[in-house]
Amino acid sequence: MIEGRPSETAIEVAAAREAHRRYDEAPLLLDDVHAAALLDEAGLAAVERYADGAPWILLENRLFLPLRARFVEDRLARAHARGVRQYVILGAGLDSYAWRQPESQRDLRIYEVDHPSTQAWKVDRLSGLGWPLPSNARMVACDFESSTASEALAATDFDPSRPTVVSWMGVIYYLERETAAGAMADLAKILAPGSELVFDVMLPWEAMPERYQAIREQMVAWLSGAGEPQKNRYRPAEIVEAAAAAGFGETRVFDVPSLHAQYSNRAPREPLTERFFLAVATR
Ligand SMILES: C[S@@+](CC[C@H](N)C(=O)[O-])C[C@H]1O[C@@H](n2cnc3c(N)ncnc32)[C@H](O)[C@@H]1O
């Protein structure tokens, strides 16, 4: 992260969600109707880079990034149906769930926890749009490298005795390995039974197909330039082990092709990502 500047990857993710709406056919994996409004001019220009004919890695992201948001929002809907009423979004970026929340889920408490630089930028953007924070949402600033989610949430009305869904999308690979382990242990400690930590995980380079090696240097250079180098990768068995060591009960992993087949009755026009998988660690 670069102090005083929003996360560039958060902007990129919102741009991919908007590109999915703009360039993919219905039914969409996720219809993030607010993604475009939350983007500034540079973010909107980024959307166009995802148009048909774009480099394959961007076309992959145009499906994967809305898919992972759909995954966590589906988990939230299911958890809500069994009585869960707290939703924590760690590293929220330009997540717009709070402004899209269905009427039926308005009894949730939503906590957007993010790096102070990204959050300050989002607050400013929301104020420019004239969008108030929904009454059931809270903004909580926290740098995970120097503080913990539990410390940040302790300053709010978050109730650790009640079960919670925690979204941790697009964050774990930007943290140092020990920070990630500490963050999981911190969450396992404060999450009540019935809670879920829902997150995406990036595979080690050597576990990815050859096509990624060809763009490795380019990706590493872009991410370091953005001040967001990726530091932390796991194979499925390693994340299950790390979550257990942190104090979670069962951890399930989900592969992207199976989820895509579940969400869409059409074969994807572009290959699906083979860089990521999704995980749900349960308390
Ligand atoms: C790739 S974006 C993901 C945003 C959002 N979860 C999504 O999927 O749209 C990464 C997010 O992690 C946050 N982040 C990265 N490093 C962080 C840190 N050390 N402390 C707090 N947040 C951090 C960034 O501010 C950004 O919002």
Side-chain angles (χ1 to χ4, degrees):
M1 293 289 306
I2 300 174
E3 286 303 323
R5 283 183 32 196
S7 155
E8 278 197 41
T9 61
I11 290 170
E12 206 59 35
V13 176
R17 286 196 295 262
E18 169 58 15
H20 177 57
R21 302 186 69 232
R22 212 182 274 187
Y23 305 121
D24 287 314
E25 289 159 30
L28 296 175
L29 298 166
L30 178 98
D31 192 8
D32 187 352
V33 290
H34 298 317
L38 289 171
L39 289 165
D40 64 5
E41 218 172 294
L44 285 172
V47 176
E48 290 170 24
R49 291 194 288 104
Y50 289 81
D52 291 350
W56 61 266
I57 187 74
L58 297 182
L59 297 177
E60 245 186 49
N61 288 345
R62 193 173 100 187
L63 286 184
F64 172 63
L65 296 167
L67 179 142
R68 80 176 183 198
R70 162 74 174 274
F71 180 69
V72 67
E73 291 185 18
D74 272 12
R75 297 295 309 186
L76 176 65
R78 269 199 248 175
H80 183 266
R82 63 175 163 82
V84 172
R85 293 293 180 268
Q86 297 190 117
Y87 183 37
V88 173
I89 311 173
L90 295 178
L94 302 194
D95 191 295
S96 67
Y97 173 81
W99 292 267
R100 287 185 284 108
Q101 52 180 310
E103 233 7 81
S104 58
Q105 290 174 14
R106 287 207 72 93
D107 52 356
L108 273 169
R109 284 263 171 86
I110 304 164
Y111 300 86
E112 284 207 3
V113 184
D114 208 346
H115 191 281
S117 300
T118 306
Q119 194 163 80
W121 187 91
K122 185 173 184 179
V123 166
D124 200 47
R125 185 87 201 133
L126 289 166
S127 131
L129 291 166
W131 291 6
L133 188 65
S135 57
N136 61 338
R138 317 274 181 268
M139 291 273 194
V140 190
C142 177
D143 180 347
F144 302 134
E145 295 291 359
S146 55
S147 181
T148 60
S150 66
E151 280 165 349
L153 288 167
T156 71
D157 56 2
F158 174 80
D159 182 351
S161 70
R162 301 176 69 201
T164 303
V165 170
V166 180
S167 165
W168 203 26
M169 290 297 181
V171 183
I172 190 169
Y173 30 90
Y174 296 112
L175 305 178
E176 295 294 348
R177 188 79 161 203
E178 315 82 79
T179 308
M184 281 195 275
D186 177 59
L187 290 167
K189 223 170 15 181
I190 59 156
L191 292 176
S195 299
E196 283 187 355
L197 173 64
V198 186
F199 58 117
D200 66 327
V201 182
M202 197 177 284
L203 286 164
W205 284 105
E206 61 278 13
M208 285 185 209
E210 186 55 33
R211 70 179 189 278
Y212 294 99
Q213 310 302 336
I215 57 164
R216 179 172 175 165
E217 269 181 35
Q218 212 182 326
M219 285 171 72
V220 168
W222 187 83
L223 288 159
S224 346
E228 296 175 67
Q230 291 168 342
K231 304 166 181 166
N232 193 13
R233 293 152 183 275
Y234 306 78
R235 293 173 190 265
E238 290 169 335
I239 200 68
V240 170
E241 202 179 306
F248 282 92
E250 189 198 23
T251 296
R252 287 178 63 199
V253 299
F254 298 80
D255 68 89
V256 172
S258 307
L259 291 171
H260 188 275
Q262 199 179 310
Y263 298 152
S264 173
N265 52 11
R266 260 198 333 262
R269 276 192 301 163
E270 302 294 336
L272 292 166
T273 186
E274 294 176 274
R275 277 200 299 159
F276 296 96
F277 61 94
L278 291 151
V280 178
T282 310
R283 278 288 294 129

